[in-house]
Amino acid sequence: MSEAAGEPAAPHGHEEAHDHVAILRELERKVLWLSAWTIHHANNLRDNPDGVKVGGHQASCASVTTLMTALYFDVLAPEDRVAVKPHASPVFHAIQYLLGQQDADQLQHFRDYGGAQAYPSRTKDKDDVDFSTGSVGLGVAMTSFASLIQDHVRLRGLTDGEPPGRMVALVGDAELDEGNVSEALLEGWKHDVRNVWWIIDYNRQSLDAVVSDRLFGQIDRLFEAMGWDVITLKYGKRQEAAFKQPGGEALREWIDGASNALYSALVFQGGAAWRAQLTADIGDRPGVAELLARYDDEQLHALMTNLGGHDMAAVLETLHGIADDRPKCIIAYTIKGHGLPFAGHKDNHAGIMNAEQMDAFKQRHGVPEGAEWDRFAGLETDWNRLRAFLDAVPFARAGTRDRSAPPVAVPDRLPAPSGARMSTQEGFGKILDGLAREDGELANRILTCSPDVTVSTNLGGWVNRRGIWDRTRRSDVFREHKLASAHQWGMSPEGQHLELGIAENNLFILLAAAGLSHRLFGTRLLPVATLYDPFVKRGLDALNYACYQDARFIVAGTPSGITLAPEGGAHQSIATPLIGMAQDGLAAFEPAFVDELEVILRWGFAYLQRDASAAPATDWLRDVEGGSVYLRLSTRPVEQPERTLDAATERRIVEGGYWLREPAPGAELAIVYTGAVAPQALEAFETIAEEVPGAGLLAVTSADRLNAGWTAAAKARQTQGDGATAPVEDLLAPLAPDAGLVTVLDGHPAMLSWLGSVRGHRVHPLGVEHFGQSGTVSELHASYRIDTDAILDACAAALLERRGKVHSP
Ligand SMILES: Cc1ncc(C[n+]2csc(CCOP(=O)(O)OP(=O)(O)O)c2C)c(N)n1
Ligand SMILES: [Mg+2]
């Protein structure tokens, strides 16, 4: 770790004893300085060739400086994990810098290419970020689900018995508006969540405005109703002392009654304004005039802004006072921009000090010109003492806290079900059921979860064998009463299924936590989740969040498409194939047959466990670094092919496609299909086989991976000049250069349309662009034109066009 350039040697003669709290106050000042300077530097002192505003949030940083200083330098233990509100990223990086876990260079490149990130990022930041944040609300919920996962792995005996960490979120008050926070609260309550602290930065400001005065009462009630202890950290020690003076009670009543807007405005205006307002409002109450007279304007301002969240001693007392593992909501009163010239102003969210203000700020912090990045410049405590203090900080004693776990071996073959007719969803359930029965290490590491669709997505067999996870052992009442049921859902701390209520955000955030178990808790979990495919969109931001932090999981969206027919028009999914393709960190598959699914799952379990640290820079399929897997599965029973897949076909299934019927060299037509439309693709193929001998039938198991391979190979050729070819280029090579491709899927046709650009073939795309009509599968396939007739019509159009009888528009 490089020292900041030019940090001078520690001065002598400053050896007066400072107590612990005084050192923390000094560090707090330094953290405030560094975070403000980092943002100032990024905006004013770096080249900005494209002129786009860099930004940063000095005011948002200032409101949590005390809380974060207290936490990181004093309260937290290495096993604790923290989600920092997005805009406090510079505070986090400054703290890491002071702890020797972050380079000055990273701060100097805040929001720059390769520099410290705008919002704390597990994957992109170089220091010790526990949970990424950025999309407000998600990091908050993450702490609750991480705590559940921590308890899950502990109760199942998968850890070495280390003490449980506290999962801490520093929450912006406006984050509570995000519905996912309430969803997480309710789910946490159901599972009796423990060891979670949500410290609410109650600065009563959001991005646009001052938040509603009535929020405070609601927060209390909301959390208490969910079984949380609410601790209000409202007044600082100076205020507490003033309240004890004659006139003090009136002052407290005034503070309690002041509207958020008035309070904020006075914070901005300062001492004289406080005096005028207080005199007007309570000046005639006994003792008040004398009380006010004891403070000059500056002191009065300091008193009135001495809220609990800015008083180091009060913060420490509160946080150290927590002695049990019940979830805690700590409402810390703060001031947005505390210690900055625009403190309290409602428009301060994106405010950045101008050069003049920064000069004054620098002087106030005693930072000499040129010493802006020095760790200790401007601090009064003896620097050797500061160093010794930092070296002894409990949180940082163990160094970086990112953990790992060895991969779990994946067997050569998963228990693939036999059966002449099956849907991919049924096959998925049976493979998991088979795994549950076999009792191998792979099965023991699986944690399944589903938002109230466990039975209807075919996870019931697995759950019958592996049980539901719960802190306490509870028997299945129906079973005890000898009532017949296909579902025997005993609950126990050893259970391997986490049943969630209907909230897809929770599902994906749980997957984010479970999928990081190896990194957070040093023990491997293989999370497997199911949900109805259309509701992927309900949880989409949370899914993106999970992928962004590199959590590893398998998620099956089922049933899907319009093929879910009688399930109802409202549940049809059209866009999910494109989501699967576009989502970074997620390899999307849509198999048609169960043997393909077995291959994909087998590969998937290994892919989840690959290690990013081994990745070469050029790995385009993420095949070395790994990722998560999305399976789009269907409820349509399909005739299963009688075959044994050879190794080459298995490889192509994973690469994304294989010829179900090989084309002859120079073939003029190929039908390309994905997923549940396989039967009609096959039927259409057999119908044209006579007329178009040599035509091919291409099974696309993953348009996502085929496409990724194609674009990456093109990039490799352009940038490295090598002769890389992509699997899809090889696949389409036998066709005539002007062959037609009829593509078909139960989803948006764009997913396969790009195939035309691979070798210049003309695509006749079939797919679904509208939804909402219920009916039988064949009625809907006919109505939306993805049935056999539609495929044949498209084949005819393709052939006519190629043979020159019809010219394309
Ligand atoms: C999901 C989402 N929506 C919108 C934003 C843009 N945004 C960033 S911070 C913020 C509000 C910040 O208020 P608060 O949480 O109270 O934090 P403060 O700035 O007061 O510290 C908004 C709307 C976002 N980051 N994420
Ligand atoms: Mg706020």
Side-chain angles (χ1 to χ4, degrees), residues 532-537 557-564 568-577 630 632-633 746-748 768 770-771:
Y532 286 4
D533 196 55
F535 307 130
V536 165
K537 287 190 285 184
T558 182
S560 58
I562 56 169
T563 307
L564 56 69
H571 284 184
Q572 294 159 350
S573 61
I574 294 177
T576 46
Y630 162 49
R632 190 169 184 254
L633 304 181
D746 180 0
H748 198 278
V768 183
H770 307 284
F771 76 105

Side-chain angles (χ1 to χ4, degrees), residues 759-787:
R759 286 191 175 274
H761 299 126
R762 186 164 169 82
V763 168
H764 298 258
L766 301 174
V768 183
E769 289 164 290
H770 307 284
F771 76 105
Q773 183 63 54
S774 135
T776 62
V777 172
S778 41
E779 278 168 346
L780 293 183
H781 284 191
S783 163
Y784 290 97
R785 306 249 338 127
I786 55 170
D787 64 343

Side-chain angles (χ1 to χ4, degrees), residues 422-734:
M422 232 186 310
S423 69
T424 46
Q425 187 198 88
E426 190 186 348
F428 176 77
K430 285 188 166 161
I431 292 172
L432 275 164
D433 186 33
L435 278 171
R437 200 173 330 146
E438 282 181 0
D439 200 30
E441 181 57 8
L442 180 82
N444 291 339
R445 293 284 168 165
I446 290 176
L447 170 66
T448 57
C449 46
S450 186
D452 203 26
V453 290
T454 299
V455 175
S456 49
T457 57
N458 245 306
L459 274 182
W462 162 270
V463 177
N464 279 347
R465 291 184 199 280
R466 293 287 166 155
I468 306 245
W469 182 76
D470 198 272
R471 253 168 234 292
T472 45
R473 199 168 300 280
R474 300 168 209 220
S475 52
D476 181 341
V477 175
F478 271 65
R479 194 177 179 184
E480 275 185 350
H481 286 243
K482 300 199 166 43
L483 298 172
S485 164
H487 310 295
Q488 293 144 26
W489 283 13
M491 297 182 171
S492 77
E494 297 88 41
Q496 280 182 258
H497 175 78
L498 220 156
E499 181 69 7
L500 295 174
I502 323 164
E504 288 70 19
N505 276 307
N506 283 340
L507 176 75
F508 286 116
I509 300 172
L510 175 71
L511 288 178
L516 284 170
S517 173
H518 54 300
R519 307 282 296 271
L520 297 171
F521 308 120
T523 188
R524 183 78 63 176
L525 283 179
L526 302 172
V528 176
T530 60
L531 79 165
Y532 286 4
D533 196 55
F535 307 130
V536 165
K537 287 190 285 184
R538 175 77 77 108
L540 196 48
D541 195 30
L543 167 63
N544 185 57
Y545 175 72
C547 291
Y548 177 60
Q549 0 199 16
D550 203 21
R552 302 300 177 86
F553 52 86
I554 294 175
V555 59
T558 182
S560 58
I562 56 169
T563 307
L564 56 69
E567 179 71 33
H571 284 184
Q572 294 159 350
S573 61
I574 294 177
T576 46
L578 296 177
I579 289 169
M581 233 173 143
Q583 178 60 55
D584 191 16
L586 201 61
F589 291 88
E590 187 167 354
F593 303 115
V594 175
D595 57 359
E596 297 168 354
L597 177 63
E598 187 271 330
V599 172
I600 293 163
L601 271 174
R602 184 166 14 108
W603 172 86
F605 279 122
Y607 184 69
L608 295 193
Q609 303 187 71
R610 293 186 192 170
D611 185 351
S613 63
T618 55
D619 178 59
W620 48 268
L621 272 181
R622 300 179 77 119
D623 273 7
V624 175
E625 66 256 50
S628 289
V629 175
Y630 162 49
L631 306 167
R632 190 169 184 254
L633 304 181
S634 174
T635 37
R636 182 187 197 187
V638 167
E639 214 66 51
Q640 299 294 310
E642 270 185 49
R643 58 180 177 181
T644 306
L645 297 170
D646 57 22
T649 310
E650 288 195 353
R651 179 173 48 78
R652 288 196 196 97
I653 287 169
V654 167
E655 284 170 352
Y658 68 100
W659 287 107
L660 191 67
R661 300 286 183 271
E662 289 274 350
E668 58 180 330
L669 180 73
I671 298 173
V672 183
Y673 75 92
T674 283
V677 296
Q680 57 258 45
L682 202 57
E683 190 185 11
F685 176 80
E686 278 158 6
T687 311
I688 59 159
E690 238 171 73
E691 198 203 326
V692 197
L697 180 61
L698 183 65
V700 173
T701 46
S702 173
D704 177 25
R705 282 175 60 83
L706 273 188
N707 182 264
W710 176 53
T711 51
K715 226 179 280 172
R717 288 193 292 263
Q718 289 153 17
T719 57
Q720 292 152 32
D722 61 20
T725 56
V728 69
E729 290 168 327
D730 292 338
L731 277 175
L732 298 178

Side-chain angles (χ1 to χ4, degrees), residues 220-232:
D220 257 17
R221 264 183 286 171
L222 178 67
F223 279 86
E224 274 161 5
M226 292 297 154
W228 287 51
D229 294 330
V230 178
I231 302 167
T232 304

